[in-house]
Amino acid sequence: MNRILVTAVGEFRIAFRNRWVSIATGMMVLFALVLAAAGSAPTGDVGIDRLSVTVASLTSLAVYLVPLLALLMSFDAVAGEVERGTLPLLLTYPVSRLQILLGKLLAHLAILGLAVTLGYGAAALTAVWFDPAATEGLGALWRLIWSSVLLGATFLGTGYALSALARRPSGAAGLAIALWLVAVVLYDLALLALIVTDGGGRFTTQALPVALLANPADAFRVFNLSAAQAVSAAGGLGGAAGTIPLWQSAASLLLWPLVAIALAGAAFRKVTP
C-alpha cells in the first residue's frame, strides 16, 4: 500500500506541475456554474427542488466532461513513459506493474474527485443561495459526486489500457478520442435510431435497458436520474431511467471500473521496456 501511495503522490505532483489540477477544476466549476444559473428554470413545472433539477443538468454535463477529462489524463500514462524512456527505470523499482497502475489511478482519481466536488459544490451553493429549500437535493448531489468518480475510474482504466496498447502518445490520443466519441456520442445516437426504427417493439421494451447498462456513461446517467427522481426533467434516453431498477444501474457503475482496471493490467503486462 505504501508503494502505491508513493507512486500516487509522485503522479499527483507531475499532474500539478502540468496544470491538470487547475484545468480539470476550472472546467468543472465553470460549466457547473453555467448550468446552475441556466438549468433550473423548470423547477416549478416538475414539482421538485431546485438542486435536484440542477443535479439532472449536471448529470448531462458529467456524462460528456468526466470521461473526456479522464481520457486526457490517462492516454499517455504508459505510452508517455515508453516515449520518454522512463519506463525501464520505473520497472527497476521494487514496485509491481499493478501497483504502478493503481498509483496512477489513485492520483488521477484525486484530481477528478477534487474537480467534481468543487464544481458540483459551486452549483449547489448557487442553487441554495437562490432557494434555501434546495437543500433537499443534497442527497442527489452526493450520489452524483461519488458516481462521477466511479465513471472517471472506468475511463481512466480504459485510457491506461489504450496507452499500453498504442505505446505511443499520438496513437493513444487518437484511440482515446475515438473511444470518447463512440461511448458518449455515437452509442446514444445509434440507440435513438434503433428506437425510432423499432417503433415501441421488442428492442425498446427488452433490449434497450440492457444496452444502456452495457455503456458506463449511460449507466451513470440512468442511475443519477432515477436516484434523484428527476426523470421527468430529462429527455431522450434519460427518460428510460424509470424503467431500469436502481440496483442494476448501481451494479453496472461498480463493475465497470474493475473491468477497466483489469484490462489495463493485462495490457500493461505485455509492454516491454
Side-chain angles (χ1 to χ4, degrees), residues 71-266:
L71 289 171
L72 289 176
M73 283 192 290
S74 62
F75 78 89
D76 69 339
V78 178
E81 301 280 3
V82 173
E83 185 175 73
R84 292 188 296 269
T86 56
L87 183 60
L89 177 61
L90 184 62
L91 294 178
T92 60
Y93 296 151
V95 57
S96 68
R97 297 193 180 209
L98 179 59
Q99 289 174 327
I100 292 173
L101 284 180
L102 291 179
K104 290 177 178 289
L105 176 67
L106 186 60
H108 292 152
L109 281 180
I111 297 171
L112 277 177
L114 178 64
V116 299
T117 300
L118 292 178
Y120 301 162
L125 289 175
T126 302
V128 173
W129 176 270
F130 288 104
D131 180 15
T135 53
E136 296 178 5
L138 289 177
L141 182 71
W142 166 243
R143 285 189 295 268
L144 181 63
I145 291 174
W146 65 256
S147 60
S148 294
V149 173
L150 286 178
L151 179 64
T154 298
F155 282 90
L156 283 171
T158 308
Y160 300 151
L162 296 178
S163 184
L165 291 173
R167 304 190 185 185
R168 291 181 62 87
S170 58
L175 291 175
I177 295 301
L179 173 64
W180 182 82
L181 285 173
V182 170
V184 177
V185 180
L186 299 180
Y187 190 89
D188 284 354
L189 290 178
L191 290 184
L192 288 172
L194 290 173
I195 291 173
V196 172
T197 304
D198 185 57
R202 181 171 297 180
F203 174 82
T204 304
T205 58
Q206 298 180 15
L208 179 61
V210 177
L212 290 174
L213 294 177
N215 184 347
D218 285 325
F220 166 83
R221 180 191 288 114
V222 167
F223 172 77
N224 281 285
L225 292 179
S226 57
Q229 297 180 346
V231 177
S232 58
L237 294 175
T243 65
I244 299 176
L246 186 62
W247 70 268
Q248 292 183 3
S249 55
S252 179
L253 273 177
L254 293 170
L255 180 62
W256 269 112
L258 300 178
V259 173
I261 295 301
L263 291 175

Side-chain angles (χ1 to χ4, degrees), residues 28-38 58 61 119 122-123 126:
M28 290 301 303
V29 171
L30 175 62
F31 285 108
L33 286 176
V34 171
L35 287 180
L58 291 175
L61 168 68
T126 302

